[in-house]
Amino acid sequence: MVKMQTTQADSATLAELCELRRRRIFQGQGSILGTLLLALIMCGGCPTHAQSLPASRYDIEAVYLFDFAKFVRWPAGPEQGTLNICAAAPAEFIDALKKVSTGEHIDTHPLAVRAVQSPGDVEGCAILFIGSSAKTGMESLLAASAGKGILTVSDIPGFLDQAGMIQFLIVNNRVRFAVNLRPAASSGVSLSSELLKVAVSVKGGAGNGGTP
């Protein structure tokens, strides 16, 4: 795993680096693995405890969600249509997602952000983020999304053990992620092998859901 220590001088330009990464690096230049490693250096490697940093954990996780969409294959569907990134999370997280995704596309699909208040709201979601504030409703949200081709992501401890697909972790004060391929495969969601290479850990075996 590539690591980079962020100095006080670096922190002043961290937000600009993350923006450059989001808008320029993921444009088909270089290998997928290389872009993800650079993502980890610039954004995933940002310390989460330093209050002086312009990029909050919400900002970092929002950018990750945007980038995950580029390394996921959903069950066959319409070639056109909106790709909905949904979140059961505080308004600040919803705002961070909107800043990242407004005006953006994944292939031919425009992105939209939707707040989730109840299990019935997950219909039509491509990605569902369940924040810590929604921990009490996590099981019902996962049950509502099961088998519907929805990529489920959370920062709640033990999320993968509850059949979640991607869990954000804090490793050495930096945002990382782990993957559970079994629920992804059962929902028809396929994760790129290049994405799996930069995960902290992968449950379910490299052959069960990852694309070659």
Side-chain angles (χ1 to χ4, degrees), residues 11-168:
S11 70
T13 60
L14 188 55
E16 288 80 4
L17 288 173
C18 289
E19 179 66 12
L20 284 172
R21 182 192 63 75
R22 184 176 72 79
R23 292 192 176 276
R24 294 185 182 179
I25 295 175
F26 285 88
Q27 300 295 327
Q29 300 297 322
S31 69
I32 293 176
L33 178 59
T35 60
L36 274 172
L37 289 174
L38 194 51
L40 289 172
I41 291 173
M42 289 187 174
C43 277
C46 303
T48 61
H49 65 281
Q51 294 181 356
S52 62
L53 295 183
S56 70
R57 181 173 176 177
Y58 285 160
D59 295 323
I60 295 167
E61 292 181 353
V63 173
Y64 262 122
L65 289 181
F66 172 83
D67 289 337
F68 285 158
K70 301 188 178 186
F71 300 96
V72 174
R73 292 180 184 174
W74 285 272
E79 294 185 2
Q80 303 289 336
T82 300
L83 191 152
N84 294 305
I85 302 179
C86 304
E92 292 84 357
F93 188 88
I94 301 294
D95 289 342
L97 268 178
K98 289 180 177 178
K99 290 176 183 177
V100 168
S101 59
T102 297
E104 298 287 351
H105 289 70
I106 300 295
D107 295 327
T108 59
H109 302 276
L111 298 184
V113 173
R114 283 172 35 190
V116 168
Q117 303 293 337
S118 67
D121 295 336
V122 307
E123 197 68 35
C125 295
I127 298 175
L128 171 63
F129 175 79
I130 305 173
S132 298
S133 63
K135 183 176 180 179
T136 57
M138 178 183 68
E139 290 186 10
S140 59
L141 289 171
L142 284 174
S145 61
K148 294 184 177 178
I150 300 172
L151 177 70
T152 56
V153 185
S154 181
D155 56 5
I156 298 173
F159 183 67
L160 299 188
D161 296 329
Q162 299 298 320
M165 300 179 194
I166 297 180
Q167 180 183 334
F168 288 126

